[in-house]
Amino acid sequence: MSKHIIQTHEKPPLGQAIPLSIQHMFAMFGASVLVPTLFGINPAVVLLMNGVGTLFFFWITQGKCPAYLGSSFAFIGPALIIIKRYKDAPGGGFAYAQGGFVAVGCLVVILALVIKRFGSDWIDKLLPPAAMGPVVALIGLELSGTAASTAGILTQTNYVAVKGSEGMFQQVVTAVDPKNAIVFLVTLGIAVFGSILFRNFLSVIPILIAIISGYITAAILGVVDFAPVEQASLFSLPHFQLVQFRLDAIVTMLPVALVLISEHIGHQIVTGKVIGKDLLKDPGLHRSLMGDGFSTMASGMVGAVPTTTYGENIGVMAMTRVYSVWVIGGAAVLSIISSFIGKFSELIATIPGPVIGGISFLLYGMIGASGLRILVDSRVDFGKNRNIIMTSVIFVTGLSGVSVHLGSVELKGMVLACVVGMAMGLIFYILDRLHLTNDSEDDGAEAAAE
């Protein structure tokens, strides 16, 4: 018997909703806290605004779009440049990065208003299923290396200069720590086998159970450092910081909008496939994009980091078949609460890399599989040259490591693949309209009708 699906509008009993919400919070916590750590700011204000932004997102999307808004990685490159450039300015460099965050969020909101006016039908033409499938798959596949790296299960190879021998280097290989491997396998194993062996309510919280089991294993093996928990105060207030605006900082940050929008569209498509609804139509791309943009603006105004819909939480939904916005909203509330409880947030922060990596290993794979599902469900005909070429070019673009730089912003992976896919989709559409192709979609439709 298949698992019961909890739809977006359904409200599970409180006894079930709380562990389900904790499961979502654990899934996002590691990656979301990493971004403010890189910027050298207090993660508490980020946890607060992630929660607030998620609740605001639900309000904008009328509670129809289950998504958790966590810290965006797309802004890291240009933000670090701005922070370094203005490190000696009043308020520090991060205040000027905040101005860039607000500007990007504003630009995203403006685009949302444009989409509301002209619609989103263009996405179907620019990203047909042969392009949409690989773009969505790349969201998960390009993160697979990150999951393995976080878990500490990759062999590290470095080259060290040999003393007394100019120009000579010695290869130093750092083996995988067996403790990391054990914790990783326990976490991943319980998540995998629990999802197919657990019954009743346990079958929808295998990720939570896996994280707890992995954490206990790590503690037994001495991998967990409890010192930060002991040193943290019980209650604490997030550190807020006013935004500063400079034109050159804003110009440095604006190209990130392209990354954020491409990522958002991809996440909406894969979420729609997971829950069985077309979120680009209802509640509409303009609503979800506006929610993301407003959340980023609000975060930038008070000293937090920009937000984006989180792939980890999409993976949780795909695995558990629990799509309730009440559950994800509960995770947002827990994130807000944890921002004021120092020991609680530090305790969650002690979850070691092998545990987070073990869970991410599976969740990112679930997203990748969702992209392949688009190709299957849409019955993409790979007998047509256009389809096999489009899918092939997008996959290679996303996985090859090729990058394009727009100022300080780097386009690569899924984002560059999405841009390439949209360009190919537009060119193929124009060629079809000019009747220059030998396998146009119109010809295919007519042949099918006959």
Side-chain angles (χ1 to χ4, degrees):
M1 190 175 83
S2 60
K3 295 179 185 176
H4 171 65
I5 296 176
I6 300 180
Q7 289 292 354
T8 55
H9 62 279
E10 293 186 54
K11 189 176 182 180
L14 188 62
Q16 295 182 10
I18 291 176
L20 287 171
S21 295
I22 293 174
Q23 182 170 245
H24 269 285
M25 186 176 72
F26 280 3
M28 70 82 191
F29 196 93
S32 203
V33 168
L34 176 61
V35 178
T37 301
L38 293 175
F39 291 157
I41 65 171
N42 185 356
V45 68
V46 174
L47 292 175
L48 172 65
M49 294 310 298
N50 283 354
V52 171
T54 299
L55 296 178
F56 189 82
F57 180 83
F58 288 158
W59 179 63
I60 291 288
T61 58
Q62 302 174 327
K64 296 179 180 180
C65 181
Y68 191 92
L69 269 61
S71 306
S72 174
F73 281 68
F75 293 76
I76 291 177
L80 290 176
I81 292 174
I82 294 172
I83 291 171
K84 182 178 180 180
R85 183 186 301 165
Y86 300 109
K87 63 180 179 180
D88 298 324
F94 184 72
Y96 294 97
Q98 290 175 237
F101 301 158
V102 174
V104 171
C106 183
L107 181 60
V108 171
V109 169
I110 292 172
L111 177 63
L113 294 174
V114 173
I115 292 175
K116 180 181 179 181
R117 173 66 179 83
F118 296 101
S120 60
D121 292 340
W122 52 272
I123 294 178
D124 295 330
K125 295 180 175 62
L126 294 186
L127 284 176
M132 192 181 299
V135 165
V136 170
L138 283 168
I139 295 174
L141 296 180
E142 72 170 327
L143 291 171
S144 58
T146 303
S149 177
T150 300
I153 58 171
L154 295 179
T155 300
Q156 302 294 327
T157 302
N158 297 303
Y159 292 89
V160 180
V162 178
K163 292 183 179 180
S165 301
E166 186 177 351
M168 296 293 291
F169 294 87
Q170 179 181 4
Q171 186 182 59
V172 178
V173 178
T174 304
V176 175
D177 188 336
K179 292 181 180 180
N180 289 345
I182 292 172
V183 174
F184 168 81
L185 291 173
V186 168
T187 306
L188 178 61
I190 291 177
V192 170
F193 292 104
S195 65
I196 60 175
L197 296 177
F198 292 163
R199 298 182 182 277
N200 301 320
F201 180 62
L202 294 180
S203 67
V204 294
I205 56 170
I207 296 170
L208 178 59
I209 295 173
I211 290 175
I212 294 173
S213 301
Y215 190 91
I216 293 173
T217 303
I220 293 173
L221 294 176
V223 176
V224 182
D225 179 13
F226 292 103
V229 181
E230 297 172 356
Q231 297 169 4
S233 58
L234 180 58
F235 297 103
S236 61
L237 290 176
H239 175 71
F240 297 101
Q241 178 171 297
L242 293 178
V243 62
Q244 299 286 339
F245 295 97
R246 283 186 67 103
L247 181 59
D248 55 343
I250 291 173
V251 171
T252 300
M253 194 72 73
L254 278 182
V256 181
L258 178 61
V259 180
L260 193 64
I261 292 165
S262 300
E263 187 177 61
H264 182 89
I265 293 174
H267 283 179
Q268 289 303 99
I269 291 171
V270 69
T271 302
K273 285 297 178 181
V274 167
I275 70 175
K277 297 179 181 179
D278 188 349
L279 298 177
L280 299 183
K281 304 295 183 184
D282 185 23
L285 178 61
H286 66 285
R287 286 186 179 275
S288 62
L289 203 55
M290 185 173 294
D292 206 342
F294 268 121
S295 177
T296 292
M297 288 175 63
S299 294
M301 291 295 292
V302 300
V305 302
T307 59
T308 185
T309 47
Y310 249 36
E312 288 87 342
N313 298 88
I314 298 173
V316 172
M317 289 191 292
M319 185 173 175
T320 63
R321 307 182 77 179
V322 176
Y323 315 139
S324 172
V325 294
W326 292 94
V327 169
I328 300 179
V333 171
L334 289 174
S335 182
I336 293 172
I337 293 173
S338 68
S339 70
F340 293 95
I341 304 178
K343 286 191 178 295
F344 180 67
S345 58
E346 286 295 342
L347 178 64
I348 299 177
T350 61
I351 298 176
V355 175
I356 299 297
I359 290 298
S360 300
F361 208 78
L362 177 61
L363 297 183
Y364 294 154
M366 295 290 289
I367 298 173
S370 296
L372 300 181
R373 175 183 169 185
I374 292 176
L375 297 175
V376 174
D377 290 349
S378 302
R379 298 182 179 181
V380 175
D381 182 5
F382 284 116
K384 285 189 173 183
N385 285 337
R386 72 167 61 218
N387 290 338
I388 191 68
I389 288 173
M390 184 174 287
T391 299
S392 300
V393 170
I394 291 173
F395 264 132
V396 173
T397 300
L399 296 174
S400 64
V402 173
S403 62
V404 174
H405 291 265
L406 297 177
S408 61
V409 176
E410 183 181 40
L411 303 183
K412 64 178 182 179
M414 183 279 293
V415 174
L416 181 59
C418 184
V419 173
V420 170
M422 294 177 78
M424 293 180 70
L426 177 61
I427 293 171
F428 287 172
Y429 176 74
I430 294 174
L431 293 176
D432 280 344
R433 299 290 291 179
L434 296 175
H435 303 289
L436 297 176
T437 59
N438 56 18
D439 66 341
S440 70
E441 295 298 328
D442 293 338
D443 292 342
E446 293 173 2
E450 294 175 1

